[in-house]
Amino acid sequence: MDHAADAHRTDLMTITRFVLNEQSKHPESRGDFTILLSHIVLGCKFVCSAVNKAGLAKLIGLAGETNVQGEEQKKLDVLSNEVFIKALVSSGRTCILVSEEDEEATFVDLSKRGKYCVVFDPLDGSSNIDCGVSIGTIFGIYMIKEGGEPSVEDVLQPGKNMVAAGYCMYGSSCTFVLSAGRGVNGFTLDPSLGEFILTHPDIKIPKKGKIYSVNEGNAKNWDGPTAKYVEKCKFPKDGSPKSLRYIGSMVADVHRTLLYGGIFLYPADKKSPNGKLRVLYEVFPMSFLMEQAGGQAFTGKQRALDLVPKNIHERSPIFLGSYDDVEEIKALYAAEEQK
């Protein structure tokens, strides 16, 4: 790789240019999606800057409030939530917003209303802020039916109806991964330009991976198929065992799975019989990205994107990653059902 030549490249594909190029392929497009996305990107840049300064700005301390999930909110959570809500409302392209931090959905005033619903987790993995582990923002975008007053029902759709999904990871570099239903692309923030540059075009997850990612601290509460699968990862009858990698920040774990292959598991267990991760703004966007990259996402009962949530903070188990690895866990659940 010629780093000197790379340093002087002038044909950089920024995320704005990339999305405008995609838009030009659809002559009927009015640019609404492009405008919405530019506001999401701006929100991510702001949060990235705040995360980098968290220790200096004394933003790490607890905000002294508990969110709807019963988790203590970090000040950064609150800040990130406000940033995204303001950015999304001011885009003039949204009508309903669902955030992990807010108990109720936010309905945008008529004067600023558009045709998109955005579901998002403004700062996923925020319990890791203090120790410098990668955290991130996850989002999914739906389009609502034309006409009529928007309602929560407009958001309670299966994940397969999403028009786009993505995440932004704030780690050693700031990485923005996006799919609008035509493959998955990754962009990295160049701090000197303040622009996201295309660094991972057309991401494809390997068909089978060598890594499994799960919180083994919950092993005593797992169901049979999950326990059998993890046992198989550690003590395979043939071949090498899989490596365990678990960060505990969904964005970071899924990002690694997407690039290197393998499987990410967050099963239901005796403590959380409905699973722990939220359907709308964690399970759906990540499942959407996995499928677009050639992988699979499974809930233990069905394809994850076919799930129809009954409320905005519903939870679900999830197994997602390389196609062949998810096939194995599906086979174990099918065998369990036949007993």
Side-chain angles (χ1 to χ4, degrees):
M1 191 174 177
D2 188 346
H3 289 286
D6 254 26
H8 294 100
R9 279 178 62 197
T10 52
D11 61 338
L12 297 174
M13 177 63 81
T14 66
I15 192 163
T16 311
R17 186 176 147 199
F18 179 86
V19 175
L20 286 169
N21 282 0
E22 287 297 307
Q23 183 191 315
S24 66
K25 295 174 190 172
H26 302 273
E28 75 287 357
S29 169
R30 298 210 319 265
D32 288 346
F33 179 75
T34 307
I35 291 165
L36 172 60
L37 200 64
S38 70
H39 281 73
I40 292 173
V41 166
L42 180 64
C44 291
K45 287 178 186 173
F46 187 99
V47 173
C48 177
S49 169
V51 167
N52 289 341
K53 291 187 290 208
L56 297 169
K58 296 272 183 252
L59 287 166
I60 293 176
L62 291 173
E65 291 172 23
T66 302
N67 73 359
V68 62
Q69 313 299 339
E71 299 160 344
E72 287 183 310
Q73 284 179 303
K74 298 275 181 179
K75 284 181 181 171
L76 263 176
D77 288 23
V78 180
L79 177 75
S80 306
N81 194 39
E82 283 176 11
V83 164
F84 279 105
I85 285 185
K86 283 177 179 161
L88 291 165
V89 170
S90 67
S91 74
R93 299 299 181 276
T94 59
C95 56
I96 311 171
L97 310 176
V98 173
S99 165
E100 190 218 19
E101 301 297 332
D102 297 328
E103 194 158 355
E104 302 292 333
T106 300
F107 290 90
V108 179
D109 285 344
L110 196 57
S111 60
K112 292 180 180 170
R113 198 173 284 174
K115 61 183 178 185
Y116 291 106
C117 305
V118 182
V119 293
F120 61 99
D121 184 347
L123 207 59
D124 181 73
S126 52
S127 58
N128 288 313
I129 294 166
D130 299 12
C131 57
V133 168
S134 297
I135 53 183
T137 298
I138 311 172
F139 66 90
I141 302 171
Y142 287 103
M143 194 183 288
I144 65 151
K145 300 172 193 75
E146 294 289 334
E149 194 64 19
S151 72
V152 172
E153 298 303 314
D154 290 315
V155 192
L156 299 177
Q157 301 182 46
K160 63 186 176 190
N161 292 0
M162 279 184 169
V163 292
Y167 60 80
C168 189
M169 184 174 74
Y170 315 111
S172 53
S173 58
C174 181
T175 310
F176 191 94
V177 174
L178 173 72
S179 174
R182 289 178 299 281
V184 182
N185 291 279
F187 304 81
T188 304
L189 184 65
D190 181 335
S192 61
L193 295 173
E195 285 280 8
F196 280 101
I197 308 297
L198 180 65
T199 48
H200 297 74
D202 197 20
I203 297 170
K204 291 277 181 260
I205 185 168
K207 199 152 187 291
K208 194 171 177 61
K210 296 176 181 167
I211 296 169
Y212 73 104
S213 184
V214 66
N215 182 356
E216 290 216 36
N218 293 330
K220 71 170 188 169
N221 296 315
W222 286 344
D223 60 15
T226 302
K228 276 183 200 154
Y229 182 79
V230 172
E231 186 74 6
K232 211 168 153 187
C233 290
K234 292 153 83 163
F235 305 102
K237 291 197 169 64
D238 51 348
S240 306
K242 283 187 180 345
S243 298
L244 169 67
R245 296 283 183 273
Y246 186 69
I247 298 163
S249 169
M250 189 191 190
V251 171
D253 278 315
V254 170
H255 185 65
R256 184 199 55 248
T257 306
L258 194 60
L259 295 184
Y260 298 164
I263 187 166
F264 171 84
L265 311 92
Y266 212 120
D269 58 32
K270 287 174 193 151
K271 279 193 305 181
S272 311
N274 296 320
K276 190 95 186 287
L277 297 176
R278 271 69 62 149
V279 173
L280 270 181
Y281 40 80
E282 289 175 329
V283 170
F284 278 170
M286 294 310 201
S287 300
F288 188 90
L289 290 165
M290 276 299 164
E291 286 200 5
Q292 285 293 320
Q296 287 196 82
F298 177 64
T299 66
K301 291 181 180 165
Q302 64 186 119
R303 175 192 176 206
L305 293 179
D306 287 340
L307 203 61
V308 182
K310 293 180 181 64
N311 64 70
I312 59 173
H313 296 298
E314 190 173 312
R315 298 171 189 256
S316 169
I318 187 66
F319 307 88
L320 50 80
S322 293
Y323 194 93
D324 289 354
D325 292 323
V326 177
E327 275 298 303
E328 280 185 40
I329 195 111
K330 280 164 82 172
L332 289 168
Y333 271 98
E336 180 87 357
E337 258 184 46
Q338 285 166 8
K339 280 183 183 174

